[in-house]
Structures are given as C-alpha cells and as structure tokens.
C-alpha cells in the first residue's frame, strides 16, 4: 500500500472526528443570530492551519464574516496553488424534516454510501470537501515536503454571495497570486465514476413585489372589483416561459454561446440514467426546454425558477382576504455569454413592462455572478486527471455543473488564473436540503486524490 493510502488508513478516525468538531459549529452565514458561531468556525480553521505549521495564518476581517488565510511558500520558483473553499453553511429549515440534529454529526449507511455517510449541515457543502484539503496538506507535511507552494483562502460568505471576498480579492491581488486555484465545492458523476467540473452556471437573483390596494381587503366586499396582486403575479410568472419552455424575456438568449454539436454529443454520452434521476427525487416525468436533454438543461442551458412566493393568508383555516401585496423570489441560472448584470436589467424592464396598470411593481436585486468555463488542455486538468486515475482507476470525465460559485469567474478576472474544480459530492448528498450528507469514502478518496494532485501539478509544471 502506498504511503499516502497508509497514512489515510491509520488516521481516518481522527480525520472524521476533526471534521465532526467543525460540523458541530452552526456557521449559518445568512442569519445574524449565528454570527458568533460563524466566527468560531473561522477560529477553529485558524487553529488547524497553525497546527499544520502553515505561515501567516490570519483571520482577515471584512464588513461581514471573516476570511481565513494561511500559506506555505517553500520556494519562490515553485508553482503556487491557491486553495479556496467556504466554511459557512446554508440555513437548516425545514428543521422538522431532518432525522437528527443538523449540527450533531453522525455516520449512517445509505443505499449509495454502503460504507457510511456523514450526516450534518455542511457535511458536503462545503466543510467536508474543504477539510479534505487540510488533511491532504497534513499528509504531505508529515511525510514529506510540499511539492508546490500553497495559499489557503477559506471564506464565510459563499452561501450569501461572497460580496466581501470580492473586495478582498481585488485588494490583495499580489498576496493571492498563484498558478492555479483548486476548489472542492462541486460534485462527481457517481461514487465510482470520477469527473472534473469544467463549467458552472452564473446566477441572477431578484425579488418582485406587486402592490394592489393599500391594505388587505375583504375578499367578499371587494372581490371582483380590484386586481388581486397574487393573481396578477401568478399570471406574470406564468408568462415568463413559452409553450416550448423557453424564457420569454426579450434579449435573454441574445449572447448565449451555443455548444458545438460535437461537444453536445460528448456531453450527452456521459453516464446519466434518466430513470435513476427521476426515481431519486420521486418524479413521474422530467420537464424543461424542448430540444435539449436533461443533462443539457441542467448545465449548458439557462433556467428561470421561482424560489419562493408568498402573500395573503397562509395560516390555518380560511381567512377571506384580498391581499394588498404579493412577492416572489426568482433566480435565473446563466450560461457562458450571459452577463448577470445585463440579465438583471432585462428582467426588471420586462417585469415592469408586462405588469398591468392596475398594480405597482418593485424589483429588488440580490447577489449574482457570472458563469464559468474551464479548458481541459491545461496542466491543471492533466494533473487532476492523473490523480483521479490513480485513485479511481478511471479517467475522469469533464462535466458541466448547474450550480454556481460566483467568485470563480471573479478569480479569473482579477487574478488571471484558472480554477480546477475537483468536487467529490454526489447529487444525492442533499446539499441545501434536510439530511445533507457526505460519503465517508468520498471524503477519504478525495483526500487521496487531492494529495496526489499536488505532486502531479509540480511534475507537469516543470515539464
Ligand atoms: N457548492 C455550491 C455550488 C455547487 C453545488 C456547484 C453543486 C455545483 C454543484 C455553492 O455552495 C452554492 O450553493 N452556490 C449557490 C450560489 C450562491 C451565490 C448562494 C447556488 O448555486 O445556488
Ligand atoms: Mn458550496
Ligand atoms: Mn451551497
């Protein structure tokens, strides 16, 4: 058995226990009542960095949650890897759908993870995945010297849009200079089929408020005489897709870069079982833009979805009311060519345009981000590919993910370097959902793959 495998085998219980300690901290970035816990998670990370013997370990304050930074520069002439991840997590609601406390991690076997999976909020997104990098560095530092210089930047605001990290990156370009950025915050095709994410969708997120009368009205006394904001909003939302499930906002598709037929064929040949897809989420039939497969709809085509809608009376029983207001939170997933700020404007103009003159419309913009694509002919991709082959005995398949990590496109813009997305999560790991989990073997294989990446990257860099 190799030295790396050996080290993992004899230290895995401790690795998991250390991850549990991090998972016990409810570092929910979106809710200010957890601000102290978010900071505690940052402090724990700093302690890990110090224990690893990294240099310049610091908690960098921002207007919001802190960024934890550390580095180990072995030799200025060596290549430098910047590792990015996030220690903040999503809120846990609906809490009643969790089998156990989301911040009291435990291991349970599942159909897919026969060896067991770690259940907790953040187990996969992203504490468990980010923590693999710390353990990979531990393996190298305890047994050897680092083949590459490393810089680590772990933030606490990814789940709320990374606004402060954006500023930090713009102000610290020299400190963050690197030859490649390495991130584990995405998924792989299946437990045994490795893949490297070569694209992420961008994001545009807005909120719409429709106001009718200046107060809630009796729906008997007034019903039929005034426009009901919920009826109006529903109709407007319905009109945002046509009968082919295309988005109807004028100009929406103008700059979309269509994938070549060749690349589409390749994308569609990657292993994907539509029945498994449906079964895993309890669905009778899939749906989406006519003319595209589910894989394509999920990755290379834009999407518009209502994430939440509310107004009027939603409590127990029936209260007759004609509401004054209706609200909806709407996200759009964007693909290469689309600019989120332009899409925000198109959306806002269109919503105002289609609203009847019986109501008032207010649109508020939330965070957004640009889509990202990575080439596969880089030494970063090749190094990752070799590392995966060693661990999984298969060549990783390039895939495009539907989710967004807005900061990745910004890294490219500001730091002029490409990111390699080595994610080890599975679609079934329920990130952002109740009972989020992360396979123990995904965690351990991830540590091994990442460790190997450091060596292969150095080798290929020197060639
Ligand atoms: N790690 C996810 C993104 C992700 C997950 C990409 C799986 C690919 C596969 C990240 O933490 C996330 O949740 N991003 C948000 C956007 C963010 C601005 C809140 C998303 O995609 O909704
Ligand atoms: Mn994440
Ligand atoms: Mn997330």
């Amino acid at each position: 058995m190799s030295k790396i495998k050996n080290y993992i085998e004899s230290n895995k219980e401790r690795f998991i226990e250390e991850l549990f300690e991090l998972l016990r901290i409810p570092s929910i970035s979106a809710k200010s009542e957890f601000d102290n816990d978010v900071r505690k998670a940052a402090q724990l990370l700093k302690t890990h960095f110090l224990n690893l013997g990294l240099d310049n370990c610091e908690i960098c304050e921002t207007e919001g949650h802190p960024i934890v930074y550390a580095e180990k520069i072995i030799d200025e002439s060596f290549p430098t890897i910047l590792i990015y991840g996030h220690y903040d997590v999503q809120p846990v609601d609906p809490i009643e759908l969790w089998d156990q406390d989301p911040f009291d991690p435990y291991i349970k076997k599942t159909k897919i993870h026969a060896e067991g999976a770690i259940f907790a909020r953040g187990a996969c997104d992203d504490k468990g995945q980010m923590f693999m990098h710390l353990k990979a560095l531990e393996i190298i530092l305890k047994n050897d010297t680092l083949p590459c210089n490393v810089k680590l930047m772990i933030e606490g605001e990814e789940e709320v849009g990374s606004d402060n990290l954006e500023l930090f990156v713009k102000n610290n370009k020299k400190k963050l200079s690197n030859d490649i950025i390495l991130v584990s915050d995405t998924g792989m095709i299946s437990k045994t089929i490795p893949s490297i994410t070569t694209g992420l969708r961008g994001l545009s997120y807005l909120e719409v408020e429709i106001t009718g009368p200046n107060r809630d009205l009796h729906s008997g006394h007034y019903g039929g005489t005034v426009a009901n904001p919920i009826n109006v909003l529903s109709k407007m939302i319905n009109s945002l897709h046509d009968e082919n499930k295309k988005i109807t906002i004028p100009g929406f598709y103008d700059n979309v870069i269509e994938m070549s037929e060749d690349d589409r064929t390749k994308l569609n040949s990657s292993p994907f079982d539509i029945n498994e897809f449906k079964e895993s989420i309890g669905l009778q039939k899939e749906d989406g833009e006519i003319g595209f497969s589910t894989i394509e709809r999920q990755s290379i085509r834009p999407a518009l979805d209502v994430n939440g809608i509310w107004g009027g009376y939603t409590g127990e029983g029936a209260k007759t009311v004609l509401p004054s207001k209706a609200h909806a939170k709407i996200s759009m997933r964007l693909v290469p060519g689309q600019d989120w700020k332009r899409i925000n404007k198109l959306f806002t103009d269109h919503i105002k345009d289609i609203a009847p003159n019986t109501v008032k419309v207010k649109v508020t913009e939330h965070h957004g981000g640009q889509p990202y694509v990575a080439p596969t002919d880089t030494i970063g991709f090749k190094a990752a590919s070799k590392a995966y082959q060693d661990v999984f005995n298969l060549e990783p398949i390039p895939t495009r993910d539907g989710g967004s990590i807005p900061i990745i496109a910004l890294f490219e813009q500001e730091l002029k370097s490409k990111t390699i997305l080595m994610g080890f999560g599975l679609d079934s790991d329920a990130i952002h959902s109740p009972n989020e989990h992360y396979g123990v073997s995904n965690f351990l294989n991830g540590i091994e793959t990442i460790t190997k990446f450091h060596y292969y990257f150095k080798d290929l860099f020197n060639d």
Side-chain angles (χ1 to χ4, degrees):
M1 203 190 281
S2 82
K3 219 173 178 176
I4 300 170
K5 261 201 168 53
N6 227 347
Y7 191 91
I8 295 173
E9 192 52 37
S10 33
N11 289 280
K12 60 183 185 195
E13 275 87 22
R14 176 176 55 83
F15 286 1
I16 291 168
E17 187 37 56
E18 285 175 4
L19 173 60
F20 274 24
E21 192 188 358
L22 184 62
L23 292 170
R24 283 189 197 107
I25 306 172
S27 48
I28 303 171
S29 50
K31 300 195 165 181
S32 56
E33 66 203 88
F34 294 97
D35 282 1
N36 270 333
D37 295 297
V38 175
R39 183 163 293 273
K40 268 189 216 154
Q43 280 157 349
L44 179 58
L45 280 181
K46 187 184 168 191
T47 307
H48 279 291
F49 289 168
L50 288 168
N51 290 342
L52 283 171
L54 301 179
D55 299 324
N56 299 327
C57 306
E58 48 178 331
I59 291 187
C60 309
E61 296 300 334
T62 72
E63 297 260 295
H65 302 303
I67 297 155
V68 196
Y69 180 84
E71 62 186 25
K72 191 95 194 162
I73 309 298
I74 303 291
D75 187 325
E76 292 288 348
S77 70
F78 285 8
T80 300
I81 302 175
L82 172 66
I83 296 161
Y84 163 79
H86 62 97
Y87 66 83
D88 64 320
V89 300
Q90 283 280 327
V92 295
D93 42 277
I95 183 82
E96 65 279 6
L97 295 184
W98 287 77
D99 294 337
Q100 291 192 41
D101 181 350
F103 297 107
D104 188 6
Y106 63 97
I107 293 181
K108 201 182 89 181
K109 293 189 165 84
T110 70
K111 215 165 116 187
I112 290 171
H113 300 291
E115 81 294 353
I118 299 162
F119 280 76
R121 170 57 86 227
C124 178
D125 184 13
D126 179 43
K127 286 174 175 170
Q129 295 217 59
M130 172 268 290
F131 203 67
M132 300 183 303
H133 290 272
L134 276 65
K135 295 301 106 183
L137 292 179
E138 178 189 315
I139 295 171
I140 306 174
L141 289 162
K142 282 268 158 78
N143 296 289
D144 196 4
T145 52
L146 290 174
C148 301
N149 299 319
V150 293
K151 296 176 177 178
L152 292 105
M153 178 173 69
I154 314 296
E155 72 154 318
E157 297 192 319
E158 196 278 339
E159 300 292 7
V160 290
S162 303
D163 286 350
N164 291 301
L165 183 68
E166 185 171 333
L167 208 67
F168 183 80
V169 170
K170 286 183 174 161
N171 291 334
N172 292 281
K173 288 191 202 177
K174 192 145 182 266
K175 179 191 180 99
L176 301 173
S177 68
N178 64 78
D179 296 292
I180 193 162
I181 301 170
L182 181 58
V183 178
S184 297
D185 193 22
T186 51
M188 59 194 279
I189 291 180
S190 80
K191 234 178 145 60
T192 50
I193 307 172
S195 51
I196 297 174
T197 302
T198 55
L200 292 164
R201 287 197 285 189
L203 179 66
S204 214
Y205 200 118
L206 303 102
E207 194 165 325
V208 180
E209 181 189 85
I210 304 288
T211 307
N214 63 5
R215 61 179 170 84
D216 285 3
L217 306 174
H218 188 286
S219 65
H221 195 107
Y222 288 95
T225 69
V226 298
N228 178 321
I230 299 182
N231 296 14
V232 168
L233 179 59
S234 312
K235 193 168 172 192
M236 285 165 67
I237 288 171
N238 186 48
S239 78
L240 296 177
H241 289 97
D242 69 13
E243 65 283 4
N244 293 320
K245 307 284 158 59
K246 280 231 168 359
I247 295 156
T248 56
I249 299 168
F252 185 83
Y253 292 97
D254 277 3
N255 305 309
V256 168
I257 299 169
E258 306 266 348
M259 210 183 216
S260 71
E261 283 305 318
D262 245 22
D263 285 346
R264 281 183 71 181
T265 309
K266 250 188 237 156
L267 180 69
N268 284 312
S269 70
S270 65
F272 175 78
D273 183 339
I274 187 72
N275 290 321
E276 213 174 281
F277 171 84
K278 289 189 289 190
E279 202 184 305
S280 70
I281 50 174
L283 210 64
Q284 280 171 31
K285 190 164 171 28
E286 75 282 13
D287 191 28
E289 189 182 357
I290 304 294
F292 295 93
S293 68
T294 296
I295 296 192
E296 292 174 323
R297 290 167 178 169
Q298 206 173 31
S299 59
I300 60 156
R301 298 300 297 168
L304 180 152
D305 280 285
V306 180
N307 293 244
I309 182 161
W310 71 102
Y313 183 70
T314 56
E316 196 182 337
K319 175 191 176 197
T320 51
V321 60
L322 196 163
S324 161
K325 286 181 191 294
H327 305 84
K329 290 185 192 278
I330 296 175
S331 71
M332 285 163 283
R333 297 290 169 167
L334 312 177
V335 297
Q338 291 181 298
D339 174 85
W340 75 276
K341 292 203 166 135
R342 177 175 175 270
I343 295 292
N344 273 9
K345 178 154 190 338
L346 292 180
F347 177 91
T348 306
D349 289 349
H350 182 63
I351 283 290
K352 291 190 171 159
D353 213 43
I354 60 173
N357 60 11
T358 49
V359 296
K360 286 196 235 55
V361 186
K362 194 173 120 193
V363 180
T364 316
E365 297 185 9
H366 288 285
H367 50 68
Q370 309 294 27
Y372 178 75
V373 268
T376 53
D377 57 355
T378 58
I379 60 168
F381 189 89
K382 284 181 191 128
S385 198
K386 282 174 157 239
Y388 279 101
Q389 280 180 61
D390 280 359
V391 178
F392 293 88
N393 295 316
L394 275 178
E395 203 174 314
I397 299 167
T399 53
R400 302 260 299 251
D401 273 352
S404 312
I405 312 176
I407 203 70
I408 304 291
L410 189 104
F411 285 159
E412 178 167 32
Q413 184 194 308
E414 299 296 327
L415 304 175
K416 311 281 177 240
S417 44
K418 287 283 179 188
T419 295
I420 178 99
L421 295 156
M422 294 175 70
F424 297 88
L426 300 183
D427 286 351
S428 56
D429 287 345
I431 63 170
H432 293 209
S433 290
N435 300 317
E436 173 178 353
H437 56 278
Y438 189 37
V440 171
S441 75
N442 294 64
F443 177 63
L444 300 175
N445 286 336
I447 294 171
E448 191 183 348
T449 313
I450 291 164
T451 307
K452 298 216 161 201
F453 175 83
H454 284 257
Y455 289 101
Y456 283 129
F457 188 69
K458 172 67 176 289
D459 287 352
L460 291 172
F461 198 85
N462 289 339
D463 280 352

